[in-house]
Amino acid sequence: MPGTCVIGLQWGDEAKGKIVDLLTEQHDVVVRYAGGANAGHTVVTGGQTYKLSLIPSGILNAGVKSVITGGVVLNPPSILGEIDGLVQRGVQVSDNLMISDRAHVIFPWHLEEDRLNEARTSKNGEAIGTTQRGIGPCYRDKVGRTNAIRLGDLYRANFAEKVKSVAADKNSLFPLLAAGTPFTPLDADQIIADYRGYAARLKPYVADTTAYLLDALENDQRLLFEGAQGALLDVDHGTFPYVTSSNSSGVGISSGSGVPGKYLNRVIGIVKAYGTRVGGGPFPTEQANDIGQHLRDRGNEYGTVTRRPRRCGWFDAVAARYTARLSGVDVLSVMLLDVLSELPEIQICTAYEINGKRVEQFPSHVDDLREAKPIYETVPGWQTDITGMRRWEELPKNALAYLRRLSEVVGRPVQIASVGPDRAQTIFHPECEFAPPAARTPVLAPSN
Ligand code: GDP
Ligand code: IMO
Ligand code: MG
């Protein structure tokens, strides 16, 4: 049975949540395999907007199992708040949600380390600009092992002892990390009491999700993998060190979920029709000018998690070609196409100039990326409102030409185009195998 993967190919916020939600009904299980509450995935349907963070976007379909695997770092109060918010709005969250006992748990010390680290590094202009959700410190402890606590550990007899030992270590570390920034020492007893309460509430969802997914595959269940962040934020393959701390490109699916790569046979690469980035790090096609502001205004480009204004710029095909190949992408889904509708001309970056040389390969070192000057191709805009369009052939000639050009420069076919936030504002290419049955172009009976 196929495993379908939805992967962001830029720096996150490509509108992955919208596509996952749309594809959910064609699957049995939706899987989040990396990242944590740094993710903010938006689904708009039936006049309602849902902002999901740790819970897979599949949760809005009660007939589908939503699984959070061991590759995710879990902040208990965040997920409990998210569950409560969904339940209050009438969304079922019960045995349709499963959370891995292998997931590493975010504790108050991770949030504090993230905050102190950012405060210290911002003094010399080197801050990553994290979401301050404790993601990096939690993954660091996971890899370091000694101070790591997994969800399954919350139910073991030595849990309190473990918290006391880690809290003592962290309390001695904070003054060094803080470098003058005020901080509050950890109260281990309070943390133990709080986390016992969270553990009790989370218990019904906790399971061995690796075993569950491997069984599901043997039972021909259809799996849908929901990427978080974007491939350019991948810790190994992204714009290091301005990245997140997990493998957010397609390469992270197997390690995060335990599902062997041979089952991941359909990959949809999600891109915006332009580019955005939140936080620090180079962004060659950034438009820190009126164009960037226009994109921010039309695209409502403010972070879902932190509300920070997103940096905006033109579509970078050098980067997208790299991440499409890295993630084994089969087809592209181009999102927020409507945001470009008013522009008379649109630019696409098809190569860089670095130190006087034309470069088509995405640089592996951040210093080279900093030097990269985009080489643009200019194409005409369509200057027509496309938000009400629902069929491929209806799109203006110049919008179709833009999509065709993106296919050529990225090297993968564009088969989905999104023209507004609502689930209904999605257009499938007639050959797209992912089109929900209702969206398939009817085959007309021959008239005589
Ligand atoms: P994710 O993190 O990849 O799931 O993306 P986010 O939810 O953080 O950001 C995408 C934003 O774009 C959300 O506010 C969506 O509601 C919105 N959105 C999705 N598709 C479209 C589209 O085609 N047009 C417009 N204008 N907005 C869209
Ligand atoms: P979704 O899933 C956009 C960025 C942060 C920062 C860097 C490291 O909604 O696409 P972290 O808190 O992970 O240590 O921050 O990564 N970042 C995201 N940017 N969308 C996201 O998630 C992001 N998750 C992290 O802004 O630059
Ligand atoms: Mg987001």
Side-chain angles (χ1 to χ4, degrees):
M1 265 293 152
T4 311
C5 312
V6 171
I7 306 291
L9 299 185
Q10 296 158 318
W11 280 288
D13 301 327
E14 297 90 348
K16 301 171 290 292
K18 170 173 170 167
I19 294 298
V20 169
D21 167 64
L22 256 169
L23 298 183
T24 293
E25 64 173 8
Q26 300 171 41
H27 294 86
D28 303 297
V29 187
V30 182
V31 186
R32 259 293 298 275
Y33 57 87
N38 49 351
H41 296 179
T42 315
V43 175
V44 182
T45 177
Q48 298 279 319
T49 299
Y50 299 91
K51 305 251 178 221
L52 297 149
S53 187
L54 276 157
I55 299 187
S57 302
I59 199 74
L60 303 177
N61 184 328
V64 166
K65 191 78 107 181
S66 288
V67 175
I68 298 174
T69 68
V72 169
V73 285
L74 194 90
N75 184 351
S78 295
I79 193 163
L80 288 167
E82 208 177 330
I83 293 171
D84 291 345
L86 286 167
V87 169
Q88 263 165 27
R89 295 181 67 182
V91 177
Q92 184 189 322
V93 187
S94 52
D95 58 358
N96 55 335
L97 175 67
M98 192 180 266
I99 309 171
S100 174
D101 58 354
R102 292 183 174 90
H104 282 254
V105 177
I106 293 185
F107 281 85
W109 50 79
H110 294 126
L111 301 171
E112 197 64 346
E113 271 179 65
D114 207 353
R115 187 180 72 80
L116 295 176
N117 210 36
E118 285 286 296
R120 196 185 68 258
T121 50
S122 64
K123 286 181 196 151
N124 55 16
E126 284 177 2
I128 293 169
T130 74
T131 58
Q132 304 207 15
R133 297 299 188 271
I135 306 295
C138 186
Y139 277 118
R140 183 163 54 212
D141 281 342
K142 166 178 169 168
V143 179
R145 293 152 297 159
T146 16
N147 280 336
I149 301 182
R150 307 203 296 182
L151 188 54
D153 297 328
L154 269 54
Y155 305 97
R156 301 287 160 158
N158 63 351
F159 170 65
E161 207 179 301
K162 179 92 191 166
V163 170
K164 282 186 183 151
S165 138
V166 181
D169 266 14
K170 300 288 181 182
N171 273 335
S172 50
L173 177 73
F174 284 170
L176 302 173
L177 263 185
T181 305
F183 66 92
T184 317
L186 300 162
D187 176 347
D189 290 331
Q190 185 62 51
I191 295 171
I192 293 162
D194 290 346
Y195 276 67
R196 282 206 166 119
Y198 304 143
R201 284 201 60 203
L202 287 171
K203 187 107 204 295
Y205 309 108
V206 181
D208 178 347
T209 61
T210 307
Y212 176 82
L213 293 177
L214 295 175
D215 285 348
L217 285 165
E218 280 174 14
N219 293 321
D220 285 343
Q221 301 260 293
R222 299 158 301 172
L223 309 189
L224 175 60
F225 294 89
E226 176 172 359
Q229 289 77 56
L232 294 171
L233 290 171
D234 187 291
V235 67
D236 288 308
H237 305 284
T239 52
F240 190 87
Y242 299 95
V243 292
T244 190
S245 299
S246 64
N247 285 119
S248 51
S249 70
V251 305
I253 303 175
S254 266
S255 58
S257 68
V259 170
K262 69 177 182 177
Y263 295 105
L264 312 176
N265 49 5
R266 303 197 302 182
V267 184
I268 308 179
I270 314 292
V271 288
K272 277 183 188 172
Y274 49 97
T276 64
R277 173 162 212 177
V278 206
F283 176 11
T285 62
E286 180 170 16
Q287 299 297 301
N289 54 27
D290 289 352
I291 295 280
Q293 191 56 45
H294 177 83
L295 295 172
R296 189 172 303 113
D297 291 343
R298 294 296 171 276
N300 188 24
E301 294 292 359
Y302 295 88
T304 308
V305 174
T306 58
R307 297 310 297 160
R308 287 179 289 178
R310 294 177 183 146
R311 301 157 65 192
C312 296
W314 297 117
F315 187 87
D316 184 342
V318 180
R321 188 165 54 232
Y322 163 59
T323 50
R325 294 196 316 155
L326 175 70
S327 295
V329 164
D330 296 304
V331 299
L332 295 174
S333 182
V334 176
M335 314 303 287
L336 295 102
L337 188 62
D338 54 298
V339 172
L340 302 181
S341 289
E342 289 167 37
L343 298 170
E345 285 183 337
I346 300 167
Q347 298 199 290
I348 306 172
C349 166
T350 52
Y352 299 144
E353 189 195 301
I354 303 179
N355 300 328
K357 286 207 189 84
R358 182 185 166 90
V359 173
E360 292 187 2
Q361 187 172 305
F362 193 73
S364 54
H365 200 286
V366 76
D367 289 347
D368 292 331
L369 191 63
R370 266 199 196 99
E371 293 301 314
K373 293 187 189 64
I375 299 175
Y376 288 114
E377 190 175 294
T378 303
V379 297
W382 43 93
Q383 298 191 285
T384 309
D385 179 5
I386 59 173
T387 54
M389 297 181 181
R390 297 291 176 268
R391 290 172 46 237
W392 205 262
E393 321 76 78
E394 252 183 283
L395 284 169
K397 184 171 73 39
N398 286 351
L400 287 173
Y402 183 64
L403 295 179
R404 217 168 17 248
R405 192 64 191 133
L406 292 190
S407 293
E408 286 165 4
V409 291
V410 177
R412 297 291 189 275
V414 175
Q415 289 202 343
I416 305 173
S418 176
V419 295
D422 197 275
R423 192 190 267 179
Q425 292 173 299
T426 319
I427 307 182
F428 294 87
H429 187 275
E431 284 165 19
C432 181
E433 65 169 306
F434 302 105
R440 288 202 184 116
T441 314
V443 179
L444 299 174
S447 56
N448 45 20

